[in-house]
Amino acid sequence: MASSMGGGNAGEGEWLKVAELRAMAEAQDPHVKEVDNLTLRRFLRARGHAVGKASAMLLKFVAWRREAVPGGVMLAELVRTELSHEMAYMAGADRAGRPVMLAFPAKHFSATRDMAGFKRYVVYLFDAMCARIPRGQEKFLCVVDLKGWGYANCDVRAYIAAIEILQSYYPERLGKALMIHVPYLFMKAWKVVQPFIDANTRDKFVFVDDKSLEETLRREMEDGQLPEMYGGKMPIVPLE
């Protein structure tokens, strides 16, 4: 439901644009009334505060959400197969208080991937992360651990699909994606994926070399929030 306009380092001018965006979008689709103002602001920011472009993006999102998640919630039963692979884990929070997700692409196999099921899984994953974001924050941190990744895991179509869902329907939600244990082969696949990523999203992917891995992770997370597998004290829990 639409919320009051408050919080989040926004000035009066930005909230006026949010109101303008709401009026423009609602005139074309009454379902926009169900979208809260913070979400509208994220769409506005994703389009550089250009109200017309933000409205087009928002309307596409509302129509997509109605079709992709007709009941408003992506049920775990619909992604049970993907969840069984344990490709994503929930960890603690970073120093800014944003929730942390760990992703393990080496557990994904292109030969057995069903694209429709994979897309549902991505929506389930992003919804779960967004639900964990505390008041006062709007983004999450992702650690993508590519250890063990090889030819059998390479799935450019799936990567492009996931990124398109992220940047089109979850704007301003990803704070940063730390890419770690990156094999040389993956960089070849990444070159194919890159043209499909908008500049704003592309800047959020940070490739970390092994020499600076510990320093980078500890800069992002306190010891009590750093996952145990990286030398910290936080146990990780598979996404369910």
Side-chain angles (χ1 to χ4, degrees):
M1 295 297 173
S3 66
S4 61
M5 294 184 184
N9 300 320
E12 183 179 356
E14 188 174 45
W15 286 128
L16 288 172
K17 285 207 167 191
V18 168
E20 185 182 347
L21 170 58
R22 179 175 293 284
M24 181 182 292
E26 283 186 11
Q28 297 181 66
D29 187 341
H31 289 91
V32 172
K33 291 180 180 179
E34 301 169 11
V35 183
D36 65 70
N37 288 316
L38 291 174
T39 299
L40 263 64
R41 185 178 67 174
R42 288 192 291 273
F43 278 87
L44 184 66
R45 289 177 172 179
R47 288 296 176 261
H49 295 86
V51 175
K53 291 181 179 179
S55 178
M57 185 185 189
L58 176 64
L59 289 167
K60 181 181 177 184
F61 159 74
V62 171
W64 166 81
R65 187 81 189 179
R66 204 156 55 230
E67 180 179 344
V69 194
V73 177
M74 182 63 73
L75 300 174
E77 288 72 21
L78 297 175
V79 292
R80 189 60 64 194
T81 298
E82 288 75 18
L83 287 172
S84 70
H85 299 154
E86 297 189 349
M87 295 180 287
Y89 286 70
M90 303 295 185
D94 69 5
R95 291 181 183 273
R98 303 177 298 189
V100 176
M101 174 181 73
L102 303 182
F104 298 94
K107 294 185 176 185
H108 171 91
F109 295 93
S110 58
T112 57
R113 181 262 299 143
D114 170 71
M115 183 58 82
F118 178 76
K119 288 181 177 180
R120 287 194 298 270
Y121 173 72
V122 170
V123 173
Y124 184 88
L125 177 62
F126 289 151
D127 281 357
M129 287 307 300
C130 291
R132 293 185 65 225
I133 298 174
R135 182 180 294 274
Q137 293 291 344
E138 295 189 66
K139 301 183 181 185
F140 63 87
L141 173 72
C142 184
V143 178
V144 182
D145 191 335
L146 288 147
K147 191 172 185 177
W149 187 94
Y151 279 111
N153 312 114
C154 185
D155 195 347
V156 169
R157 285 187 62 220
Y159 303 155
I160 292 172
I163 288 171
E164 287 184 342
I165 290 172
L166 173 67
Q167 63 191 16
S168 297
Y169 307 127
Y170 296 85
E172 300 298 308
R173 281 305 203 182
L174 177 65
K176 187 183 296 183
L178 298 177
M179 313 293 284
I180 68 173
H181 298 137
V182 183
Y184 173 75
L185 177 62
F186 179 81
M187 296 310 299
K188 290 188 174 183
W190 189 250
K191 286 182 179 179
V192 180
V193 175
Q194 269 191 318
F196 295 90
I197 312 176
D198 65 41
N200 185 42
T201 304
R202 192 183 309 129
D203 290 343
K204 296 175 181 179
F205 287 87
V206 179
F207 287 82
V208 182
D209 60 43
D210 291 347
K211 291 185 296 183
S212 57
L213 177 57
E214 182 177 357
E215 177 188 353
T216 299
L217 292 177
R218 291 189 179 278
R219 187 165 58 243
E220 297 289 345
M221 291 167 270
E222 296 178 358
D223 190 57
Q225 297 294 319
L226 184 66
E228 291 175 334
M229 63 191 302
Y230 303 126
K233 300 178 180 177
M234 174 63 67
I236 61 175
V237 180
L239 176 68
E240 297 179 343

